[in-house]
Amino acid sequence: MDAAILNVFPSTTRAFVKEAIAAGNVLVGDRRVPKGLKLRGGETVVIRELLEAADNLVAPVAGPLRVAFEDAALLAFDKPAGMPVQPLTCRETGTLMNAVVHRYPECRALGDSPLMAGALHRIDADTSGLVLVARTAEAFDALRAQFSAQTVKKTYLALVEGAVAVGGTLENDLVHDPTLPFCRMIDKSRVRASVNGRSQISDLRSGGVKALHAVTQFRPIGRTMVENEERTLLEVTIYTGVTHQIRAQLALAGLHIVNDRLYGAFAVENQQGHCLHALAASFTHPVSGDPVEIRTAYPDWAKMI
C-alpha cells in the first residue's frame, strides 16, 4: 500500500504516507488498512488527507522568545530548558522555531532542513541557552561554513556532581549506543558486547558505523553544597558539535551533570531537566566580517554559586 501511494504521489514522502495510514486517512472499501497491505489490482483507494514534501515546514505559532541578539542577518535566542529547538514534524508546535518563524517569517524557508527554519545548530530540549538563527540565505551559508570548519567557539556552563579541582581536555570517538532504542552516546572503544546487541557492536568495532570525534575542554569556576553534597560549576568549551557531546564526555570522565539521569547522574527531587546551559558563542559576523561574541544570562542554578 505505502509503495503504491508513493508511486502515484511522488511529491509526498514515505513518512507522510505512513502518518496518513496510521491516522486512518487511507481507506480501501471504507476500511482502514495497514501500510503493508498487498494490493491485487482494481481496488478503489480513498485518501482523505496526505501531506506533501512542500508542506513540511515549521508552523508559525506565537510563543515566548528571549532575544539575545538581533540584526539584519542574524538572530540569537536564549532558549529555556524543556523547550525543543525544532519540531519533529510539521504538525508539532511548542518549539523554539515555531515561535521564531511566527515573529520572523523570513526564517521559515531558510537552511538545509525544512524543520530547522534557519537555525544553525541544536541544543537538547532540557539544555537551556544560546541558539543562533540566520535571517538570510547568505548569512546561513557563511555561518554554516564556520560551524563545519569548527571555528565557532561555544561556551557552556555545567553543574556537576562532586568536587572538581582542576580542568582538562576530553577526547572521545562517540557513537550511538546500539543496544538502546533511544539516543545515548558512548565511546566507541568502550563498547561491550551484549546478547541483544552483539551483531551491532561487531559492526562498531569493525568500522561499520562512523564514530564522531569530539573534543571538550573544561575548567572549574565555582563550588556549592546542596544537602551535604558538593557540586562544581564548570565552564566548558567546544568547537565540535556531536550529539550529547558535553553530557556524554563529562560522564565518561566521571563528571556527571546534575540530574542528567540518562548519563548516570543521581535524580534530583522536584527538578526538571539537567544543569547544562549554552552560555556564549564566538565567531565571525557573516556580513561585516568582524569578530562577534554573543552571551546569555546565567541560569538560576548557576547564579547561586
Side-chain angles (χ1 to χ4, degrees):
M1 173 60 75
D2 52 350
I5 294 174
L6 278 168
N7 184 58
V8 175
F9 299 102
S11 58
T12 190
T13 68
R14 186 172 295 277
F16 283 149
V17 172
K18 181 179 178 181
E19 177 186 274
I21 293 173
N25 288 323
V26 178
L27 307 176
V28 174
D30 296 328
R31 299 183 65 179
R32 296 176 58 164
V33 297
K35 67 182 179 66
L37 175 69
K38 296 186 182 299
L39 299 175
R40 296 185 298 272
E43 296 96 337
T44 298
V45 178
V46 176
I47 301 177
R48 293 171 169 170
E49 181 182 89
L50 178 62
L51 296 178
E52 297 184 327
D55 299 317
N56 197 33
L57 295 172
V58 177
V61 181
L65 286 176
R66 296 198 294 248
V67 180
F69 178 88
E70 177 178 358
D71 69 11
L74 179 65
L75 299 162
F77 302 96
D78 186 356
K79 184 189 78 68
M83 173 186 282
V85 169
Q86 66 164 114
L88 297 178
T89 74
C90 58
R91 299 185 189 277
E92 184 180 350
T93 60
T95 74
L96 176 68
M97 298 317 298
N98 290 117
V100 169
V101 300
H102 181 268
R103 187 181 300 184
Y104 305 95
E106 67 273 20
C107 298
R108 194 179 189 209
L110 294 178
D112 49 16
S113 174
L115 297 178
M116 284 289 280
L120 290 148
H121 61 115
R122 284 183 286 260
I123 59 177
D124 299 330
D126 281 338
T127 299
S128 58
L130 188 69
V131 177
L132 301 174
V133 180
R135 298 185 75 173
T136 68
E138 294 76 15
F140 181 89
D141 291 341
L143 285 166
R144 176 51 65 84
Q146 293 184 53
F147 274 94
S148 298
Q150 298 181 3
T151 57
V152 179
K153 177 183 177 182
K154 292 161 283 185
T155 305
Y156 286 72
L157 295 174
L159 186 63
V160 299
E161 300 172 346
V164 181
V166 296
T169 299
L170 306 172
E171 291 196 47
N172 299 90
D173 292 319
L174 298 177
V175 294
H176 292 273
D177 189 336
T179 66
L180 297 175
F182 50 86
C183 178
R184 187 177 72 182
M185 305 300 286
I186 54 177
D187 190 297
K188 182 177 179 179
S189 66
R190 301 188 185 187
V191 175
R192 295 181 179 179
S194 67
V195 174
N196 294 330
R198 192 177 304 278
S199 62
Q200 294 168 300
I201 290 170
S202 175
D203 287 341
L204 288 176
R205 289 178 170 165
S206 65
V209 176
K210 180 181 179 181
L212 300 172
H213 190 66
V215 180
T216 295
Q217 299 171 340
F218 68 94
R219 67 183 184 93
I221 59 174
R223 291 187 187 176
T224 188
M225 295 289 292
V226 177
E227 298 179 353
N228 297 322
E229 293 183 3
E230 195 161 16
R231 297 176 178 178
T232 304
L233 183 64
L234 303 179
E235 182 183 87
V236 181
T237 302
I238 62 173
Y239 291 88
T240 50
V242 178
T243 300
H244 293 187
Q245 174 176 333
I246 296 173
R247 299 167 63 189
Q249 287 195 280
L250 288 179
L252 286 166
L255 306 174
H256 299 281
I257 295 174
V258 170
N259 207 41
D260 191 357
R261 287 168 284 180
L262 178 64
Y263 285 95
F266 291 109
V268 178
E269 189 175 358
N270 298 322
Q271 179 176 324
Q272 297 294 321
H274 50 249
C275 294
L276 181 63
H277 177 78
L279 179 67
S282 301
F283 52 93
T284 300
H285 192 278
V287 176
S288 69
D290 295 332
V292 176
E293 181 184 56
I294 301 175
R295 300 183 68 85
T296 60
Y298 272 37
D300 290 341
W301 48 260
K303 293 177 183 176
M304 296 183 292
I305 298 175

